[in-house]
Amino acid sequence: MYRGVRIAAVVPAYKEENHIAQVIETMPDFVDDIVIVDDCSPDDTSGAARRADDGRVTLIRHEVNQGVGGAVLTAHKAAMELGADINVVMAGDAQMDPDYLPQLLDPVVDGYGFAKANRFFSGESFAGMPGYRIFGNIVLSFMTKLASGYWHIFDPQNGYTAIRTEVLRRLPMNKVAARYSFENDLLIHLNILDVPIVDVPIPAVYGNEVSSIKLRKVIPELLAMLFGGFWRRVWWKYMVWSFSAVALLLIAGIALIVMGLVAGIWVLAASVGSPTAGSVMLAVVPFVLGVQMLLVSLQLDIQASPNRPSMHPMKERT
């Protein structure tokens, strides 16, 4: 146990025959359960996990590959059945340094519902990274902030996380994206539930592992999920549960911008290059007001970001 709280490490593993034993052997003693999900690996990942011979290990094998998110969700469910209070995700490729587990667990024990590692916590964190990857991380982080409503976080693809079991019980796990957009979609679901989360500076460990991500397939899927997730969050959080100013300003702002653009096209077509001041104002005023409304809506959404510990501190088991 850690600070009197039962901890489970959930480990999604796909083709990790060469790394899974290291993950098990370096797991700290305060981790009570290690739930490994072999996501239909074509190699001997399951055999390597068994040979590690650690009594804390619960091994599950998917007969059909479900993606990293599907493996994590399966492991979360199993850990909940084992009685864990907090689940921490540890990658099967040993990229997540177990020495930083206390830094990740402490805020969850003290009042956050979810904690996430952030590899890019200083300017030096980008050293040696190609420019296109830096740009991609910045763009993806901004889009995830917009879609999820967690404006205070960065590095959304980082899967080194800790979450309370009580949060998992509230989470519609069957609706969370199961593949590479899992981390992003999870954040959207957590924000709908108003779960307070925190970024924890933790450097990554890089080795000789090879990524199986196919960017041409992943990027369109991720963009579509973020777009749909944004509107899902607005619908549930700002319209269904409480029709707030965020939704009102967002809808009115978009309507006015569209009105301004339509009016602008009509003015240009009708005036044949010589529009009057009045006709120009007919297009400009709605557009400007719409942009202002969107900015105010964005500001209110930023202020509503659940970034402070608001859950009860976890008590030591007796």
Side-chain angles (χ1 to χ4, degrees), residues 24 34 38 41-42 79 91 94 127 139 155 176 179 190 205 231 252:
I24 296 171
I34 305 172
D38 179 352
S41 299
V139 170
D155 193 17
V176 181
R179 295 198 176 272
L190 291 175
V205 178
W231 288 108

Side-chain angles (χ1 to χ4, degrees), residues 12 19 23 40 50 77 155 174 184 212 217 221 239 291:
H19 301 98
V23 173
C40 195
R50 292 191 190 95
K77 293 172 184 176
D155 193 17
N174 62 321
N184 311 79
S212 60
K217 179 180 178 181
E221 173 188 329
M239 297 181 71
V291 170

Side-chain angles (χ1 to χ4, degrees), residues 13-19 38-45 212:
Y14 179 69
K15 295 196 294 188
E16 300 298 353
E17 178 182 359
N18 296 326
H19 301 98
D38 179 352
D39 195 25
C40 195
S41 299
D43 64 2
D44 194 27
T45 294
S212 60

